[in-house]
Amino acid sequence: EVQLVESGGGLVLPGGSLRLSCAASGFTFSDYAINWVRQAPGKGLEWVAYISSDGYRKYYADSVKGRFTISRDNAKNSLFLEMNSLRVEDTAVYYCARDRCSRAACYNLAYWGQGTLITVSS
Amino acid sequence: DIQMTQSPSTLSAFVGDRVTITCRASESIDTWLAWYQQKPGKAPKLLIYKASSLQSGVPSRFSGSGSGTEFTLTINSLQPDDFATFYCQQYQSFPLTFGGGTKVEIK
């Protein structure tokens, strides 16, 4: 069974930093691209970042570019999101979401974690 | 960036109704479109990819159509389990973008 479990969420001050993790199981992690998608309270879905299966290609939403860094450790079946210079508007549930296709990504998201809440507030 | 616009934002329907949700892209995305269903407090679930391909395990009452800039998600014979919010997503290019969502409520 495919499982994605996010962790690392919590309350952080504006300007602060946080590192999210996503632990994967039930599939060959190194074969799949993974994304971070967020959802502010009561709002819609916003794509945040993408990393290819081998970790070499990364893309970011303009709203987080230069502040967030996506990375992965294929040996440990783990995905990360380093978040710096956090803003109030970054408050959201953050989901990791696995691509539907193996090897060559197809950019639609077939498996999602349960999400972790980040609250940026003073 | 490609903007995705969904309509309506809210829809009220009876169990058994046929429901159609529209998604429009700000430029052509061929058929690079996915649909997701999200229930309150839960992660989204992939329903449709490549505009009309049904994801494994999704009931056949869900169907998708369209190409270019206009797409529809149709639910035939709405079931109690289908009341949720639905999102479209384009994957023609980065940044990946979602529509604003359509909430399907019980009438």
Side-chain angles (χ1 to χ4, degrees), chain A residues 29-35 47 49-55 57-59 72 97-110, chain B residues 32 49-50 89 91-94 96:
Chain A
F29 184 72
S30 59
D31 281 352
Y32 291 87
I34 313 280
N35 296 261
W47 171 79
Y50 161 97
I51 187 166
S52 60
S53 57
D54 59 9
R57 283 182 297 119
K58 304 176 184 181
Y59 299 101
R72 65 191 295 161
R98 198 205 80 178
D99 200 282
R100 185 177 59 84
C101 303
S102 67
R103 308 297 176 89
C106 50
Y107 311 107
N108 40 85
L109 311 177
Chain B
W32 304 118
Y49 60 93
K50 210 165 186 304
Q89 175 233 329
Y91 51 103
Q92 160 77 16
S93 62
F94 284 98
L96 306 180

Side-chain angles (χ1 to χ4, degrees), chain B residues 16-45:
Chain B
D17 281 353
R18 183 184 188 199
V19 164
T20 299
I21 299 168
T22 298
C23 177
R24 288 186 174 87
S26 60
E27 61 186 80
S28 178
I29 58 170
D30 194 3
T31 55
W32 304 118
L33 184 98
W35 288 98
Y36 300 84
Q37 176 191 52
Q38 187 180 33
K39 296 179 181 178
K42 301 293 186 182
K45 172 187 174 182

Side-chain angles (χ1 to χ4, degrees), chain A:
Chain A
E1 179 194 5
V2 173
Q3 282 201 319
L4 298 164
V5 180
E6 302 92 340
S7 60
L11 176 63
V12 61
L13 293 170
S17 298
L18 214 54
R19 189 191 199 211
L20 302 185
S21 300
C22 173
S25 61
F27 63 100
T28 304
F29 184 72
S30 59
D31 281 352
Y32 291 87
I34 313 280
N35 296 261
W36 287 101
V37 177
R38 69 184 180 183
Q39 187 169 36
K43 302 297 184 182
L45 301 170
E46 180 188 14
W47 171 79
V48 172
Y50 161 97
I51 187 166
S52 60
S53 57
D54 59 9
Y56 284 104
R57 283 182 297 119
K58 304 176 184 181
Y59 299 101
Y60 298 93
D62 284 347
S63 57
V64 308
K65 203 173 292 181
R67 300 188 298 122
F68 291 10
T69 301
I70 189 171
S71 62
R72 65 191 295 161
D73 183 339
N74 283 348
K76 295 183 177 179
N77 293 344
S78 295
L79 174 77
F80 306 101
L81 187 68
E82 193 76 41
M83 310 163 69
N84 297 317
S85 304
L86 282 161
R87 305 168 180 168
V88 170
E89 55 265 34
D90 294 320
T91 295
V93 173
Y94 285 72
Y95 297 99
C96 59
R98 198 205 80 178
D99 200 282
R100 185 177 59 84
C101 303
S102 67
R103 308 297 176 89
C106 50
Y107 311 107
N108 40 85
L109 311 177
Y111 293 93
W112 298 62
Q114 84 288 349
T116 187
L117 176 63
I118 309 301
T119 303
V120 184
S121 175
S122 55

